[in-house]
Structure formats: C-alpha cells, structure tokens
Amino acid sequence: MDKVVTLSEAVASIPSGAHVALSGFAITRATMAFAAEVLRQGIRDLTVSQCVGAMDADLLVGGGAVSRILYGGGSLDRFGRLACVNRAIEEGSIVAEEYSSLSMVFRYMAGALGLPFVPIRSLRGSDTLAHLEEVAPSATAYVDDPFTGDRWLALRPLNPDVAVVQVQVADPEGNAWIYGPRWDNEEQVKASKRTIVITEQLVPTEVIRRDPERTVIHGFRVSHVVRLPFSAHPTAVYRAYDYDADHIRLYAEAAKTPEGMRAYLDKYVYGVKDHWEYLELLGGVRHLTKLAADPILGY
Amino acid sequence: MDKVVTLSEAVASIPSGAHVALSGFAITRATMAFAAEVLRQGIRDLTVSQCVGAMDADLLVGGGAVSRILYGGGSLDRFGRLACVNRAIEEGSIVAEEYSSLSMVFRYMAGALGLPFVPIRSLRGSDTLAHLEEVAPSATAYVDDPFTGDRWLALRPLNPDVAVVQVQVADPEGNAWIYGPRWDNEEQVKASKRTIVITEQLVPTEVIRRDPERTVIHGFRVSHVVRLPFSAHPTAVYRAYDYDADHIRLYAEAAKTPEGMRAYLDKYVYGVKDHWEYLELLGGVRHLTKLAADPILGY
Amino acid sequence: MSEDVAYTPFELMAVAGARELKNGEIVAVGLGLPVVATFLAKRTHAPDITIMFELGVIDPEPIHTGVGLADPRVWYRAKVLSSFVDMLGSVLHGGRVDVGFLGGLETDAYGNLNTTLLGDPKGKFRHFVGSGGANDIASSSRRTIIIIRHEERKLKEAVSFITSPGYIRGDGQRAQAGLTGGPSRVITDKAIFGFDPETKRMTLLSIHPGCALEDVLGTMGFKPIVPAHVPFTEPPTPEQVRIIREEIDPEGIYSG
Amino acid sequence: MSEDVAYTPFELMAVAGARELKNGEIVAVGLGLPVVATFLAKRTHAPDITIMFELGVIDPEPIHTGVGLADPRVWYRAKVLSSFVDMLGSVLHGGRVDVGFLGGLETDAYGNLNTTLLGDPKGKFRHFVGSGGANDIASSSRRTIIIIRHEERKLKEAVSFITSPGYIRGDGQRAQAGLTGGPSRVITDKAIFGFDPETKRMTLLSIHPGCALEDVLGTMGFKPIVPAHVPFTEPPTPEQVRIIREEIDPEGIYSG
C-alpha cells in the first residue's frame, strides 16, 4: 500500500490537542521541517514527548503550539539550552512532566508491549519524582513485588496519538531503517497509535526485503510516508548530513529572547511557503552540499 | 580481550547443575556440537531453557544430562516430536516447566532489564498455567494493576547461569551478529550471567565496527568465543548452511525408542573424540559441501 | 461455474479460512493450512494483510515449502526479521493482532485448544508439541480461527488439556480470566462452525458441499448448536484452487 | 619526574577520574571530562573497560571532538549502536554498570546532584538540562563518580533540587528509597572527596598539589569531614598529559 504524501498532507492529519512523540535527540534527527509545517498550519495545544528534549520540541514550544511536554530533560548540547522550552517552564506557560531517559522509554516500552504498568528503580528519592507527582499524579504509582514484597515505583504506559520519526531509509508502505543509535524511536513507534515516517531516501519494498534485520519500523504501523531531503536541518542525520553549526548557533542566540525567537520564526518558518523555500532561503544546493555526510565517517 | 577457546574448554566451564539457556529453535541454530561435548564431558543435572524446544535440548535430555527443562513446547517441525523430551516428561524423569513462547521470553526480558516481575495476559485460563503452578509454584504470582485495580498474572524474572548461542559472525571479544530472526536469543544473552558464543565466522573487531547496528550480543557479556564450522549440524544456520534433512530423519527415527537413541549416542556422540571427528563421520567436506547455503536464498 | 471445479477437502478449508480474513488485517499464523489460507487471502481479496510468524518474521514471500517456522525457506523475502519480543510482545500483546489462526490436536464445544497432551494429565499420557505461541495468540488476538480435521477424537465436549483457552467452559469464564476476544470460527473438512453469542457454545454455520448433516454430527464428539436452516459452504473458485496449486503449495504438502 | 609536568586543573581532574576506574569495568558516561577520564583509563591501565553512552553507543573511537552525545562524531567506530532500552535498560537497570560518571550544576554534602534548576522550585527559578540519563545512572550504577568545578555555588550543604540522588540527607535515606550503590568520589579542580561510611557525609581525601586546605574549605558552601592528615593528590604523569593533549582532546575543548 503506497502511503507517500507531501509533508503538508501528513501534518494536516494531526488535530490540535494531539499527543505527538518526536524522534529528535538534542541536535540529531529532530523533526524540524515537520515542526515548521505544524506552526504554519496553526495546529495548537499539542502534547509532545521524547526521552531527551531536542530542537524540534523547542521550535514547537517557541511557536506556541505546545501546552504539555513529557521529556527527560534536554539541551542543544554545547550550542546551548532548549531556550524556548526552559522559558515556557519558568513562566509556567506549558506543563512539563519531567522524567529521566529510562523512565520515559520504559513508559513507551510498556505502551508498546501492552504492559499495564512497568516497575522501575529510577526517580525514587529525587525531587524530579516529587515534582512529577504534582503535575502528573496519574503517571506513577507504587506496587509491591508479589515475589519479594519489596515496594517499587510503577510507571503508567504511554501511547501517543502519533509518532513522527525522521529516518534514513523507508519504502512506500512505511517499512523503515534507522542508521546509528535509535534511542527511544523504536519504542515511540510501537507505543503510538500510528506513525508518520519522514525519510531521506525512499526505496522500493524490494530493497527492504534484501536486509530485513534492519527494519525497525513496521509498515503496518505507518499512516503516512514523507520523502523530504534535509528535513531535519539544522540538526544532523547520521550517514546523510551533518548538523548546520552556524544555523544552530543563530537559532540558539535568537531563542534567548521572545523577540529574537519571534524574528527567527517570521523569517525561517512563517517567511517561507514550505520546506523547499526554506532550503532556498538557507542558500539552496550550494549551502546544503557543504553539509553532506562523509560516507565513512557518517557526518 | 581475546576470548577465543576450543569447544571443550568452553564446555568445561559449565558445572553440573547449571542453568543453561540454549539458542536453538526446533531445527535451526541449535547448539548441537555443544550438546554433544556436554555429554562427552559427563556434565549432569542441567536445567535447560529456551522459548521453543529444539534439537539441542532433545539431545541433552536423550543423553541424560538434564534434570529440568523450562520451555514453551517444541518439536522437530515436520520431522517429528522432541522424542527424548516428550518421553522424559511422560516417564517423569525430568521436571518440565511448560510455558508459552511469550511468557518464556518475558521471563528472560524481565531478567535482562532488571525488572522484579513482569505482568502478562498469556497463560490465564489454561491448564498450562495450572500445571506450571504445581511444578514451579514460585515462577508465577498475581499482582494488581496500581492504576486500574485489574488483576494480572506476574512472571518472575529468569537469569540463567550461562547462555549458549549459535551465531553467524563474532569477534574475539564476543561481539556478535545474528542473521535472520533472533527469536529469544537477545533476551537470553542479556538475562544470563554470562554467554558462550559459538560462531561460524570469526572476524576482527574492525569488521564489527563497520556495522555496529547489527551487534545484538555485547562483548562484555561473553566469557568464551568458540569458532567451529557446522557446529549446529544437523540443524540449519541461516546464510551459512541448510539443515541436514537425512540426518534429522535418522535422528528422529532413532529417538523414538531408548534403544535407538542409545545407538545414536554411541555412534555420533560417544563414538567420536570431538566435533571434527563427527564431521568426518558424516562424510567430511564432501558431505558438508552439499549443505552450504545459497548466498541469495540463505538456505 | 465453481461447482465444476474439483478440489480437495484441504483446499476447501484453506479457501474457507481465506474468506474469513479482511483486507488490512494483521494475522498471526502457525504453519500449515493457516499459512495457505492467509497467503491465498493476500493474493486475492486482501492484498494489504500483514502476515506475522511468532519467531520474528513479517510478510515473507517463500518460493520453497518449509518444514516449519524454523525453516529459513519460510523467511524468504520477509520485510522484517526480528524477535519474539517484537512479534508476540509489541505486535500481539501490544494489541495489534486482528486474527490468530490456529490448529491443534483437539478442540471442544467452547473452542478451547489442546496441543499439549493426550490421555490423563495426572496419570498415563502422551506428550506433544505444547503451546509455542498458540496460547499467547489465543489470549491476545482480537479473534481466533481454528482449523482442524473433522474427527470424533478431535472435536470433543471438553479437551483433556487446555493449552490455549477459547471460552473455557462458557458462562463468561474467558472474561473472568482477564481475556477479551476468543474463537470466531472453527473450520473442518466437513463444516464451518461459529459460537453462540450468549452461551459461547459451538454452533454449526455451514456444511461443505457433498456432506450430510448426519455425517457432520455423527463424526464429532459432542453436539453443537444446530440452527433450523444450515446452508452449504461456498465452494472454492477455479482461480482460488489454481493459486493454491500453482503458487502457494505446488508440492501439495498442506492442501493435497 | 611528574612534578616537572605542566598540566591544567582539568587535566588533573581527568587523570584523577581515570585512576578511579579498574580494568574490565563497565562505565556509563555523560559527555565532557568524564569521557576524557574514561578514554584515558582505557588507553592506559584499563584497556578492557566498556564505555557506554545512554542513547545506544558502546566503545566508540572518535577521531573528532563532538558537541554532545547526539553528535555522530562521538559514535564513530562504535562496537554497538542500539537504543536506550538496550543501554539504560538491559545494561544499567539490568545491574551491569560498575561506574556512573556524572557532572552537574551543583552537588552537596551527601553527593546529591542537581542538573534541573537554580532558584526556588516553587517560585522564581531558572531551568536547565534536567536529568537525561543522570538520574537513572545515579540510581542503578554500583558506584558513581562526580566531577564538578570547585566553587561555593556548586558545592552546597543541600542542593536546591535533587535530580539524581546521592545519599539524600544521609541516615540510610538512600536505602529507604530502594537504592543501593551511591557516590564514591567527588573530584573538583582543588581536591578529591569520598563519603564517610557511617554518616555518608562528604569527606576530604586529598588536596591537589599547589592548593592549601584553607583555600579548599574556604571556597565551598559547606564543611566536609576533614581527617587529621590529608595527603596531596598524585599529579598526572607526562604520558597521561600527552595522551589527553595529543589523542583524546587535541582541541582542548574539555580539558584545556
């Protein structure tokens, strides 16, 4: 079944208020083109989740599309903080459920495996848990190990409405491969009601059948497949292109103030019709060619 | 760290009474050379486990090395039943904890992830569970979902003393790749205290670093690496060699009676000094060449 | 028309099984006739079916017949090669499987399946294959379809050992065990059965062409619910028979 | 001898961290000095160390310095590229990690770490990176080593927010939270600290060459336990400094 559509068609399938799991990790495989299109379409009141906060979540929060975030903390690595997310938390303009990387991925895993809950050693004794119990009292509970009687923290399964995942290779059905570490992406996809795959390379299913051990996303879980080059820009896609350090610095500087962020959005999100215009604004083929990954190094 | 040893050295590390998780599934990637060497060394009183019983467990039981088996049922596919396992169960000469494939792999998974227990929907309402509660009262319990109050069956984590896994590619540290479906092998390795890797191909770590997404067994979990060709014979190793249908038929016929099994063991296990002599007894290179897998088909 | 087509009872069973599958459904299958039925559906009215084998295989396209799930022949050209946790965990236990397709040594009036042992579990018995993924599939699929030979010893009032629960002994016992779903059809070489919505007892739905009601009832170990009017099963079409014989099971191993 | 070697405070911290690692140990590290220290140990006295990054990376051999764990530069030549569940689940929560190597905004007398916020959690505060895998590593590693700048605002009697628990407020509170392990060392640019076996309060173990006790105590926000005799920290060897400068951090990003 051919599920290939344009980015705007895929984004249009997401209603305001939906829970969207994002594939980004800091400055890599972040769903940037997706986030920009969400803002252009005026989708609002989203819940976004990911184990480690990334630039995609920061752009969505900066554009006012998010009312709740579930994440394990995050940054732009050495480029700086997730300024928009942090400011929104400090101002109380979004509700932030803060976890750790493992407690987030265990919530996705429980959702994926159909477990009613999952016990975990993390979070206990921390203010992170104390804060979480305030903002999301139904996300955690305590359970006694029926074998030893020991008390354990239990996490509620997480089942997002849709996972949006940036991959290197996919076929028209949505069967997809991810090169490099996959962090929480497999569990996000398996826990979500459906998945939107955004891929660098679109290949015939014939190619998938040649190396099926690599297929970490099953086609039947996928509702839309979008083939869009540099759709994670300015973040990196391993074996495809490197992060655009200059642009991330420009973003990090702009995001420090609401005014700066406003100007960034006006120019790079609202100032362009779509991702193709965005790429031209950056300098088109000439600029993007500089980011192409070395085939051996992968960056 | 170089962990490459001979099969007999690796087998000698296993004390009688140990719990050994085996990588076989029916007639594929069964640890046959390992099982034969266990019998030749006179190791006894083993507990063996695997999600689906395979020819390796049947040979070990037929040779009297097993006192307890944990498995989800099994057969030699269309070649017949696991005659030795079934006979031992019927005679009561071994204790059989029978599960389903998922409940077995969930026990391994809980052991791998350090979960104190794992809830599951399977087994309830079955005589399989009723029987399990008799022979292994401490393997299961009931737990209430702290979020909904629903009652769930809970499984105790499983942590075998050693996993023995038949792979296609490994390096001297034990980093290993498995081609084809991996069934329960990843969870067996991660749940076990240590792992013995038996590989068709021994490659430099340099090769592992070229395709690290394939590394499903981490070197640090491995105590011994054995490089031994056709070490799963007569079962199949995907992309290496096909199963030896004639030999499996010969085995299935022999295994139907204790006398037949005795004769098989005397000839193919005790009648040879080691795996090399076994391969010569089969007909050496000339016979084995017929089993070599087609590079495209994988069998 | 199709009346003219010669077909074997197994071909009819496979076709009847295929008809139960809707396009787009996710199907968990063991080997044998269920595979023939599912591949037939995928090649005819249900091209978007997803076929799943428990050990970690999705949508293979075998060109040789295998001896079982462990045979690399049945993995050929798969889209996914993964693991039990992926298939039985994230697909099945995760609630994604629409249909579980099962066979067995014996089934009973409430669709319970026995693949474990025959005889007296406490005394003398003969032990067989056991569950594998069957119990998991029977417990977590939205519905299950049972394909079994129509013999008195295989269709009993109560199986001697419940490996995979159907409706247990009726009376909401399946729900009390925390299970939803349950068997929707039992397909034999003489008839097709469903289950009474209230009592969950097996109910005769159709009789295969050429079989008589007495023959159907006289060769089973219990009395199913028999409605006033029982139609004949729709026979296979020439195209369905051709696909089975030429494409799916040319060696006639499962449907010959 | 080593007295002659010129080294930066960060190089000394990295070397002190490396000395804490035994050969064959499994080490979970965040980026920065912990990585420099771990790579140094692996290239010197502990070649069989296994290095793990939470997002799914084991034993990489980077040839370029990365900006963070998400930078493909730090994944280069890894032996394993997998996932959070594999690393933080089966390796860390599964009980295989010997040492967790952590940094933070601030730590305190009981080795609790704050990477979440500064200010009043209930009122005006500034929010930072949060936990990532830090809380998980602090909760499930056999022991943790903390590397942090020696400043009054970073070494407090009690952190303003416990992101990753050390011994909490002492008195067996860590065990009461169901946790074993805990911090074993705190390495700053002026001294090395351990924890009192009984009270779990931070205890001065050694002072770096060139620092005075008054200087060490005068620049921290609480009073650690100070034994009668406090030795000087062993300085880096010329070889250790060479390896850091030429092989591990040639651009001096972490240790310059």
Side-chain angles (χ1 to χ4, degrees), chain C residues 54-168:
Chain C
E54 63 174 275
L55 73 169
V57 180
I58 288 183
D59 288 346
E61 291 182 349
I63 58 171
H64 299 112
T65 311
V67 296
L69 290 184
D71 189 334
R73 283 159 185 74
V74 309
W75 313 339
Y76 188 57
R77 288 178 51 76
K79 293 174 187 167
V80 177
L81 290 177
S82 59
S83 68
F84 276 125
V85 168
D86 189 28
M87 297 294 105
L88 295 180
S90 75
V91 183
L92 178 68
H93 204 262
R96 303 301 194 105
V97 171
D98 298 296
V99 185
F101 230 132
L102 301 169
L105 293 168
E106 50 178 30
T107 186
D108 65 22
Y110 294 96
N112 302 297
L113 271 171
N114 173 17
T115 48
T116 302
L117 58 83
L118 294 177
D120 170 10
K122 307 279 177 201
K124 200 156 170 41
F125 63 87
R126 184 162 159 81
H127 193 274
F128 294 89
V129 62
S131 166
N135 172 279
D136 307 306
I137 290 168
S139 300
S140 291
S141 303
R142 293 210 175 75
R143 69 183 193 275
T144 54
I145 300 170
I146 297 166
I147 289 198
I148 194 165
R149 303 281 294 271
H150 196 101
E151 300 172 15
E152 188 153 2
R153 61 189 184 92
K154 288 178 163 293
L155 300 166
K156 299 165 64 175
E157 176 61 37
V159 292
S160 46
F161 189 99
I162 298 181
T163 308
S164 306
Y167 298 105
I168 310 180

Side-chain angles (χ1 to χ4, degrees), chain C:
Chain C
M1 246 298 300
S2 52
E3 277 61 29
D4 317 327
V5 199
Y7 52 83
T8 69
F10 297 111
E11 286 166 346
L12 175 60
M13 291 165 82
V15 169
R19 289 204 185 95
E20 293 293 328
L21 305 178
K22 301 182 194 66
N23 196 22
E25 290 192 314
I26 298 169
V27 187
V29 284
L31 212 70
L33 273 182
V35 173
V36 177
T38 309
F39 279 130
L40 177 61
K42 195 169 174 65
R43 283 164 196 245
T44 53
H45 67 282
D48 300 322
I49 272 179
T50 296
I51 301 174
M52 180 197 100
F53 295 151
E54 63 174 275
L55 73 169
V57 180
I58 288 183
D59 288 346
E61 291 182 349
I63 58 171
H64 299 112
T65 311
V67 296
L69 290 184
D71 189 334
R73 283 159 185 74
V74 309
W75 313 339
Y76 188 57
R77 288 178 51 76
K79 293 174 187 167
V80 177
L81 290 177
S82 59
S83 68
F84 276 125
V85 168
D86 189 28
M87 297 294 105
L88 295 180
S90 75
V91 183
L92 178 68
H93 204 262
R96 303 301 194 105
V97 171
D98 298 296
V99 185
F101 230 132
L102 301 169
L105 293 168
E106 50 178 30
T107 186
D108 65 22
Y110 294 96
N112 302 297
L113 271 171
N114 173 17
T115 48
T116 302
L117 58 83
L118 294 177
D120 170 10
K122 307 279 177 201
K124 200 156 170 41
F125 63 87
R126 184 162 159 81
H127 193 274
F128 294 89
V129 62
S131 166
N135 172 279
D136 307 306
I137 290 168
S139 300
S140 291
S141 303
R142 293 210 175 75
R143 69 183 193 275
T144 54
I145 300 170
I146 297 166
I147 289 198
I148 194 165
R149 303 281 294 271
H150 196 101
E151 300 172 15
E152 188 153 2
R153 61 189 184 92
K154 288 178 163 293
L155 300 166
K156 299 165 64 175
E157 176 61 37
V159 292
S160 46
F161 189 99
I162 298 181
T163 308
S164 306
Y167 298 105
I168 310 180
R169 303 316 305 156
D171 303 328
Q173 282 189 23
R174 182 179 172 89
Q176 287 156 33
L179 305 175
T180 55
S184 63
R185 291 286 182 272
V186 175
I187 299 170
T188 76
D189 46 304
K190 290 191 159 83
I192 298 177
F193 301 86
F195 291 87
D196 179 79
E198 302 309 315
T199 65
K200 301 300 185 188
R201 189 172 172 88
M202 211 184 285
T203 304
L204 184 60
L205 293 186
S206 74
I207 298 177
H208 299 342
C211 299
L213 179 59
E214 308 59 46
D215 176 29
V216 169
L217 300 181
T219 51
M220 50 196 294
F222 68 95
K223 189 162 186 343
I225 297 172
V226 181
H229 172 67
V230 180
F232 279 111
T233 307
E234 187 183 336
T237 66
E239 178 62 2
Q240 288 169 322
V241 173
R242 186 195 66 73
I243 291 172
I244 292 174
R245 292 180 188 175
E246 294 177 14
E247 300 176 15
I248 301 174
D249 188 22
E251 300 166 52
I253 290 183
Y254 300 114
S255 37

Side-chain angles (χ1 to χ4, degrees), chain B residues 22 24-25 49-53 70-74 99-106 108 183-184 188, chain C residues 84 132:
Chain B
L22 304 172
F25 182 108
S49 66
Q50 56 193 178
C51 279
V52 169
L70 286 71
Y71 80 137
Y99 296 83
S100 62
S101 298
L102 182 63
S103 47
M104 270 300 295
V105 80
F106 264 13
Y108 286 130
W183 36 90
D184 53 353
Q188 286 178 313
Chain C
F84 276 125

